[in-house]
Amino acid sequence: MIQGIGAAAGVAIGKAFVLPSWDWDVPDRRMEKVDLALEFERLYEGIRTSKTEIEVMKNEIKETVGVAESSIFDAHIAILEDPVFMSEIQGIIERQYKAAEVAVKEAIDHFVTMFDLLDDEYMKERALDIKDVGNRLLKHLLGTPDITLPADTQPYILVAKELSPSQLVHLNPNNVLGIVTLAGGKTSHSAIMARALGIPLVSGLENKLVEPLQTGDMLVIDGDEGKLYLDPSPDIIESYTEIAVKLSRRKEQLQLLASVEAVTKDGVHLRLAGNISSVKDLKLALKHGAEGVGLFRTEFLYMDRSTFPEEEEQYKVYRQVAETAGAHPVVIRTLDIGGDKQLEYFSLPEEDNPFLGYRAIRISLDRKEMFITQLTAILRASAHGKVKIMYPMISSVEEVREANQLLEEAKRGLHERGIAYDGDIQVGIMIEVPAAAAIADLLATEADFFSIGTNDLVQYVLAVDRMNEKIAHMYNPYHPAVLRALRQTVLAAKEAGIPVSVCGEMAGDEKAIPIWNYLGVVDLSMSPQSLLRVKHRILNTTAKESQEIGARCYCLSTSAEIESELAIFTESGNYSSDRLA
């Protein structure tokens, strides 16, 4: 057994197909000064063709993996438009009289080497994006065909040194049983797409193989545990075949729970909603039994374009979501960009700490016209369903009041135009920074509801960048400080008589159910893929006993002690029965 990184869950058993290297040999071709203009034109034509190709891929994959994951290709287009990257290429052509393909290859090598030297796993994985984009540009400059995958329909486990999102686009999930890569990790764009496609992935095997894998090798991979078995024994194959059958059967059984309410054995109902980025996400969430939308991420409506969306366009999308949800509530979060979410057409300033800088509600309150346009579109959609508005990254009472003043301005505008909207629309805020948790009692008097965004809250409370693999072990939702921030927020909401929900990753973590039962949180919003799994756990849970476990967690001093206590919940026989519909 070879231990790697489990980057995308699932089990795969089959023969390997080793993808040939995508690195081309580029001769050091030079030119005369009089030919520089022609060489620049070749470069610009290659860039235009590459951008068009990336846009086509993005649109092709969008229907398969969703808007959020397909926006990975926006980062690839941004590289082709990056002035530093392009200046490096242009400088090599102009100063050294080198051919465009030579300049592109040298620029790729320069930036990849620079990123690889950084002591930051996340940045190392971004080097793959530069290689992907640069190799696409090289392909057009050299006239080289794409590397092709097996033409037959025999399923295989794809093996590559590294795999780019561009290559993943062309994979047929029905033929690809799993993926093995030598480089990469959980935060790579390839891992994100593999998870969205439902393809098991084991990565990080560089320097762990005694001999290179060969096409035709028999493999077993475990994408949960990050294990690779080369030439596995019959016992290993039999064992993992049983696991794969159980996983498939469990998936079928869980779907039977879609129409069942999430009620504990002793009658406590937890309302499970979906986190969505598109109508497609909503349909999947409803298929899995979601009782509404707890978080509609509107930023992806802004990302998939070259200009800010107009009011009418936004209104049509929000209305479609509201009507598709029917009688279920839909919480629409206003624009949350900045940090790791950028817009091509909206230049954000370079910041030393972008996650602490110009983002989310701060941008909206600064760009008032843009904000009012979005609020107006949401208000119009509220006439067609149970729509609620939510402001992201609130840290002060002043921000809520200023945002509400702009909301009133949007209402007046609609009233003057004679357009219907819900005059009593509820307005909530996200609790995702420590300041908001600390003054939750003050904020509760300004909001109709709270929604706790645990991803950012954990990051900010612990001062741990959740995208940095180097310190990933320090990012722990079950740190006592995080649990205290959750309790302080929930108590403040209860004292003010307003509802509180959770919409971060913790909401979809079965291990956290005792925490929510103890705190009395009954509204959880999660990815559509997590709904049935969490519902199954709730159906097989006794609220009283899990509350006792949650209470004990608040008496412990370390993350390890808390997780050990929660393991009683996840591993105890009291919660392991299979009460399916």
Side-chain angles (χ1 to χ4, degrees):
M1 190 274 289
I2 303 164
Q3 185 64 56
I5 299 170
V11 168
I13 304 168
K15 291 187 177 181
F17 172 80
V18 180
L19 192 68
S21 173
W22 59 357
D23 290 326
W24 289 292
D25 183 23
V26 180
D28 192 6
R29 187 169 69 86
R30 296 172 185 266
M31 73 211 62
E32 299 296 327
K33 187 174 182 179
V34 293
D35 295 326
L36 283 179
L38 178 61
E39 211 57 27
F40 276 116
E41 183 52 41
R42 286 184 64 230
L43 173 65
Y44 300 144
E45 178 58 30
I47 292 170
R48 286 192 291 270
T49 305
S50 297
K51 288 172 70 172
T52 300
E53 207 168 55
I54 293 170
E55 285 287 358
V56 169
M57 286 193 302
K58 176 182 173 181
N59 291 328
E60 284 178 354
I61 200 69
K62 189 187 302 180
E63 288 302 311
T64 304
V65 303
V67 176
E69 284 74 17
S70 69
S71 67
I72 285 168
F73 289 103
D74 291 332
H76 287 202
I77 292 173
I79 290 170
L80 287 171
E81 296 175 343
D82 184 80
V84 177
F85 183 57
M86 296 316 301
S87 178
E88 180 80 10
I89 297 171
Q90 292 164 338
I92 294 171
I93 295 173
E94 190 169 18
R95 291 191 300 271
Q96 302 179 39
Y97 300 162
K98 292 190 175 183
E101 60 269 21
V102 179
V104 170
K105 183 68 165 62
E106 289 188 8
I108 295 171
D109 292 344
H110 169 74
F111 281 100
V112 168
T113 300
M114 183 173 67
F115 276 43
D116 280 342
L117 289 173
L118 295 174
D119 193 19
D120 186 328
E121 205 61 35
Y122 177 75
M123 295 306 294
K124 288 177 188 289
E125 289 168 359
R126 297 293 76 78
L128 179 57
D129 292 321
I130 291 177
K131 290 182 77 171
D132 188 10
V133 173
N135 277 287
R136 177 167 301 283
L137 183 50
L138 274 177
K139 180 193 75 172
H140 293 300
L141 292 170
L142 293 169
T144 309
D146 284 317
I147 294 172
T148 56
L149 297 170
D152 59 38
T153 57
Q154 185 66 34
Y156 55 88
I157 295 176
L158 186 65
V159 178
K161 179 178 181 181
E162 50 196 6
L163 198 62
S164 72
S166 296
Q167 291 169 309
L168 272 169
V169 166
H170 301 295
L171 297 182
N172 182 346
N174 296 323
N175 291 347
V176 182
L177 301 170
I179 300 171
V180 174
T181 62
L182 303 186
K186 289 185 178 181
T187 63
S188 71
H189 282 161
S190 297
I192 293 169
M193 287 190 64
R195 289 193 290 269
L197 289 166
I199 302 175
L201 169 61
V202 173
S203 61
L205 294 171
E206 194 94 64
N207 302 320
K208 295 183 179 180
L209 296 169
V210 177
E211 295 180 358
L213 297 176
Q214 304 290 331
T215 294
D217 283 345
M218 188 65 187
L219 305 177
V220 170
I221 68 170
D222 182 340
D224 294 273
E225 300 294 329
K227 295 177 180 178
L228 165 69
Y229 295 86
L230 172 60
D231 193 19
S233 67
D235 288 345
I236 292 293
I237 293 176
E238 182 181 357
S239 175
Y240 273 97
T241 299
E242 290 178 3
I243 292 172
V245 170
K246 286 179 180 178
L247 288 174
S248 177
R249 186 182 301 136
R250 178 176 173 79
K251 187 175 181 180
E252 294 174 0
Q253 290 176 325
L254 286 176
Q255 188 57 48
L256 298 175
L257 299 179
S259 60
V260 179
E261 289 189 334
V263 180
T264 64
K265 289 179 177 180
D266 47 356
V268 176
H269 178 202
L270 278 76
R271 291 181 290 272
L272 307 186
N275 294 340
I276 70 166
S277 302
S278 64
V279 176
K280 180 186 175 184
D281 287 348
L282 172 57
K283 289 178 178 178
L284 179 60
L286 294 175
K287 179 184 176 183
H288 289 176
E291 297 183 58
V293 175
L295 172 63
F296 180 11
R297 302 183 182 95
T298 61
E299 53 269 19
F300 294 105
L301 181 62
Y302 289 72
M303 288 179 174
D304 188 22
R305 56 189 308 107
S306 58
T307 59
F308 283 109
E310 299 291 340
E311 175 192 318
E312 190 66 24
E313 182 179 356
Q314 292 189 62
Y315 159 64
K316 287 178 180 178
V317 174
Y318 303 150
R319 175 176 177 172
Q320 187 179 7
V321 168
E323 290 180 337
T324 302
H328 296 304
V330 174
V331 178
I332 301 179
R333 182 177 69 186
T334 59
L335 183 60
D336 183 10
I337 58 169
D340 59 341
K341 290 173 281 191
Q342 307 287 321
L343 303 181
E344 289 178 45
Y345 52 89
F346 180 45
S347 181
L348 292 171
E350 287 194 17
E351 300 174 294
D352 290 335
N353 294 298
F355 283 95
L356 304 181
Y358 188 59
R359 58 174 299 204
I361 196 66
R362 299 169 183 178
I363 293 177
S364 294
L365 295 180
D366 184 49
R367 298 289 295 264
K368 292 181 173 58
E369 185 176 339
M370 175 195 74
F371 191 36
I372 290 175
T373 296
Q374 181 177 33
L375 292 173
T376 301
I378 297 172
L379 284 170
R380 289 176 62 186
S382 70
H384 304 279
K386 297 177 68 174
V387 171
K388 302 178 183 181
I389 296 173
M390 182 163 66
Y391 305 137
M393 203 182 173
I394 291 295
S395 60
S396 69
V397 168
E398 291 90 338
E399 288 171 329
V400 182
R401 290 176 179 174
E402 185 177 356
N404 282 337
Q405 287 174 0
L406 295 173
L407 178 62
E408 289 303 314
E409 188 174 332
K411 288 180 178 179
R412 287 194 297 272
L414 286 176
H415 181 74
E416 291 169 0
R417 291 159 60 187
I419 297 177
Y421 65 91
D422 179 4
D424 297 318
I425 190 168
Q426 290 195 336
V427 181
I429 63 172
M430 289 196 73
I431 305 294
E432 51 189 339
V433 300
I439 60 166
D441 58 327
L442 303 178
L443 292 171
T445 64
E446 307 287 333
D448 294 315
F449 63 90
F450 282 166
S451 184
I452 304 173
T454 57
N455 298 1
D456 271 338
L457 184 62
V458 174
Q459 173 174 248
Y460 291 132
V461 167
L462 302 182
V464 174
D465 179 358
R466 55 193 169 101
M467 301 299 286
N468 187 339
E469 289 286 339
K470 191 72 174 176
I471 55 174
H473 63 285
M474 298 177 66
Y475 181 90
N476 193 321
Y478 302 100
H479 190 290
V482 175
L483 297 194
R484 290 186 181 195
L486 293 174
R487 180 169 60 185
Q488 184 172 356
T489 300
V490 173
L491 290 177
K494 287 183 176 180
E495 185 69 25
I498 66 171
V500 58
S501 65
V502 181
C503 64
E505 289 294 321
M506 279 184 77
D509 186 352
E510 301 165 72
K511 188 165 58 177
I513 291 174
I515 303 297
W516 311 135
N517 276 330
Y518 169 66
L519 295 177
V521 174
V522 296
D523 289 290
L524 304 173
S525 188
M526 62 201 70
S527 70
Q529 292 81 2
S530 300
L531 284 162
L532 294 174
R533 175 174 46 78
V534 172
K535 182 183 291 187
H536 176 254
R537 172 62 68 180
I538 291 169
L539 289 169
N540 289 284
T541 293
T542 301
K544 183 177 183 297
E545 292 181 52
S546 74
Q547 285 166 1
E548 292 171 356
I549 293 173
R552 290 198 293 271
C553 287
Y554 275 90
C555 299
L556 301 173
S557 304
T558 70
S559 304
E561 291 170 349
I562 291 169
E563 290 188 272
S564 178
E565 185 66 41
L566 291 173
I568 296 173
F569 172 71
T570 56
E571 297 171 7
S572 170
N574 292 332
Y575 305 102
S576 62
S577 62
D578 289 318
R579 183 161 66 91
L580 293 163

